[in-house]
Amino acid sequence: MIEVDLSNVWGQITLPKLLAMEKEVFDAHMALSEGTEENGDYLGWMKLPVREATEEMQRICKAAQKIRTDSEVCVVVGIGGSCVGSRAAIELLQGPNRNIGKGKGDPQIFFAGNSLSTRHWNELMGLLEGKDFSVIVISKSGTTTECAIAFRGLRWMLERKYGTDEANARIYAVTDPCQGALRQMAEAARWETFMIPRNVGGRFSVLTAVGLLPMAVAGIDILEVMNGAMDAKESYDLRSYENPVWLYAAVRNLLYRSGKGIEIFESFEPGFRVMGSWWQQLFAQSEGKNGKGIFPATAELTADLHAIGQLVQQGERNLFETMVRFAPPEAQHVIGSDWNDLDGLNYLEGKTLDFVEEQAFQGALTAHVDGQVPVITMDCGALNARTVGELFYFLELACSISAYILGVNPFDQPGVKFYKQNMFALLGKPGYENSGR
Ligand code: PA5
């Protein structure tokens, strides 16, 4: 079970205030478990965790195995909720440099369709030069501009390289079960398809084929991920403050009410960076509406202590931190002795790197708390596929409960359309001639 430690927030909030909030948290949880008129069509994510592989998961593993066998590179096309979850899991479990030295049997995985950068596109073209590759295209709506442009280019590359039939056998589409341009294209060309259930929104879709197919291609045990999510579903159904999800959701709202409008979500693992982005999207899109919302920022420690540490320590007192911790790995690095000690490090001789990290954590914690920055710590235990599944579900549940406490609907994103309308009008997209400003 993920442990939420509140011992470093009490300077800013009080136990009576937390206890007084219990009914609000209970009601928020009930709105999810019972469903409401407004959220009934968006709660599919709560039913995704399983103990046994479903038929869809078996197809995912089979497709992933084919990609691993016939491709040196797998390109995952998607943006936002359609790519960041799988990327987060892969980077957290396999490290930011996992692609180096990979090829057939365990392909490199690149992400595309998540920007409009020509430089990024040109770089991808270079990386694909002379390589056997497959494409997983992920879009619930099937019409997202960034993905559609990238996918059109990649599809044509596949057709030129392999001919139409082989190209079609190397394309995997993850999309709406019945509608949208991608669904129509997939059916016409008979690509292997996987479904994003209608009642699962983009940022809650990591435990569907959206997240699971790229994870399986990376060699991650997706049944373990799902079992971790199931552990979370069962453990975090508690209706009391013994539930760490309740503690996290309640305390971040109390801190917000006391003027802390920014949350920094951070870890000492460099591989956690994209998990931070996934959390950021989940909370920003779910909570940032009706003039409300905690700004979700992320940091990577210790690197960012050298970058934003000054502001955290002594800047405006409008922030709090959530530190996510994992148990140390078995293989430890021990600091050696140097005969002339010119770097002055012999005082650490025989100590592990992990020991030094622990002191950095304690040091930063105390300094920030002394500087009036409340720190929530989240202890996740060993870092493995099961933990990652548990963390995904924990945060989805916490985010939904937190949004209801905040008084907003976690499952819509009415603000996102405005930039699109302007962009489409400028691009001359049919139907948007008069939409822009
Ligand atoms: O959370 C969301 O809904 C978004 O981030 C979407 O996932 C993102 O815009 C991609 O949408 P689609 O899957 O329709 O291409």
Side-chain angles (χ1 to χ4, degrees):
M1 207 180 200
I2 292 170
E3 280 173 29
V4 168
D5 180 0
L6 300 181
S7 38
N8 297 294
V9 301
W10 296 123
Q12 306 289 322
I13 58 164
T14 62
L15 186 59
K17 278 195 179 158
L18 181 63
L19 294 176
M21 204 182 201
E22 200 166 8
K23 172 82 169 67
E24 280 179 77
V25 190
F26 178 84
D27 289 344
H29 202 158
M30 279 294 275
L32 295 167
S33 53
E34 301 294 304
T36 64
E37 242 174 61
E38 165 198 77
N39 71 15
D41 293 339
Y42 297 92
L43 298 179
W45 60 273
M46 299 181 77
K47 300 203 175 87
L48 294 173
V50 286
R51 286 270 173 238
E52 309 271 327
T54 59
E55 211 178 289
E56 175 97 337
M57 282 171 69
Q58 287 168 17
R59 277 201 314 117
I60 288 172
C61 290
K62 202 164 158 214
Q65 197 45 49
K66 178 175 177 297
I67 296 172
R68 285 171 69 80
T69 310
D70 69 13
S71 304
E72 294 164 279
V73 175
C74 175
V75 185
V76 180
V77 180
I79 194 166
S82 287
C83 88
V84 75
S86 63
R87 204 170 174 175
I90 293 168
E91 208 165 302
L92 183 54
L93 290 168
Q94 302 186 337
N97 303 313
R98 64 93 53 199
N99 277 340
I100 295 173
K102 301 269 189 216
K104 248 177 214 169
D106 189 10
Q108 296 181 313
I109 300 176
F110 295 123
F111 291 86
N114 51 10
S115 84
L116 292 169
S117 160
T118 308
R119 282 184 191 80
H120 187 244
W121 176 257
N122 291 345
E123 185 200 17
L124 179 67
M125 294 302 98
L127 291 166
L128 290 176
E129 191 71 51
K131 296 267 171 61
D132 276 323
F133 70 101
S134 298
V135 174
I136 299 173
V137 54
I138 307 174
S139 178
K140 188 169 186 211
S141 62
T143 53
T144 304
T145 312
E146 291 89 334
C147 308
I149 293 173
F151 181 53
R152 182 181 279 201
L154 288 162
R155 187 163 47 89
W156 286 358
M157 274 180 76
L158 282 172
E159 284 176 10
R160 276 197 300 271
K161 188 173 167 82
Y162 298 105
T164 311
D165 288 349
E166 175 63 9
N168 286 339
R170 285 176 173 270
I171 295 174
Y172 303 81
V174 183
T175 189
D176 185 276
C178 340
Q179 65 184 34
L182 186 56
R183 168 62 57 184
Q184 281 173 16
M185 287 162 76
E187 280 176 6
R190 297 177 186 276
W191 300 326
E192 170 127 37
T193 57
F194 299 92
M195 135 187 126
I196 311 175
R198 296 223 115 150
N199 58 0
V200 178
R203 59 187 171 275
F204 289 86
S205 67
V206 64
L207 298 173
T208 68
V210 169
L212 298 179
L213 180 56
M215 283 186 229
V217 173
I220 293 171
D221 184 341
I222 60 169
L223 186 56
E224 273 296 286
V225 173
M226 289 301 245
N227 276 194
M230 194 65 182
D231 293 345
K233 182 177 156 71
E234 288 167 1
S235 310
Y236 306 133
D237 197 34
L238 268 178
R239 308 301 157 100
S240 80
Y241 278 135
E242 278 170 47
N243 185 344
V245 170
W246 275 39
L247 290 179
Y248 178 51
V251 166
R252 61 195 301 285
N253 272 279
L254 274 182
L255 289 167
Y256 180 60
R257 288 175 195 176
S258 75
K260 306 289 186 190
I262 299 169
E263 176 177 7
I264 308 176
F265 192 71
E266 58 204 4
S267 158
F268 280 76
E269 294 297 333
F272 193 78
R273 193 180 54 88
V274 188
M275 185 60 94
S277 303
W278 177 82
W279 166 90
Q280 186 173 55
Q281 184 201 339
L282 179 69
F283 279 78
Q285 304 261 67
S286 302
E287 292 195 325
K289 47 199 80 156
N290 305 347
K292 300 180 187 177
I294 300 170
F295 184 87
T298 61
E300 177 191 322
L301 306 181
T302 59
D304 281 327
L305 292 174
H306 298 255
I308 59 168
Q310 172 59 36
L311 182 140
V312 173
Q313 191 66 44
Q314 293 182 322
E316 192 176 342
R317 302 299 68 192
N318 58 352
L319 42 90
F320 66 97
E321 291 169 274
T322 299
M323 278 199 194
V324 181
R325 311 233 48 219
F326 297 97
E330 268 176 35
Q332 287 287 318
H333 171 62
V334 180
I335 298 165
S337 171
D338 190 290
W339 69 271
N340 61 9
D341 195 27
L342 283 180
D343 54 11
L345 274 183
N346 274 1
Y347 78 102
L348 292 175
E349 183 204 335
K351 298 277 193 301
T352 62
L353 183 58
D354 186 67
F355 169 82
V356 180
E357 186 206 275
E358 180 62 27
Q359 311 321 307
F361 163 64
Q362 295 295 347
L365 186 65
T366 312
H368 293 180
V369 172
D370 287 349
Q372 309 302 309
V373 180
V375 183
I376 302 169
T377 48
M378 224 177 245
D379 204 328
C380 298
L383 176 49
N384 53 40
R386 203 170 180 118
T387 313
V388 167
E390 183 178 359
L391 190 57
F392 278 134
Y393 193 90
F394 177 103
L395 291 170
E396 287 174 345
L397 184 61
C399 176
S400 310
I401 292 179
S402 178
Y404 278 128
I405 298 171
L406 188 66
V408 298
N409 175 1
F411 304 114
D412 64 1
Q413 53 281 328
V416 179
K417 65 175 183 249
F418 295 111
Y419 101 87
K420 289 187 187 168
Q421 283 170 353
N422 290 342
M423 178 179 78
F424 291 152
L426 290 165
L427 288 170
K429 183 170 176 166
Y432 286 84
E433 294 80 356
N434 302 317
S435 308
R437 239 182 37 82

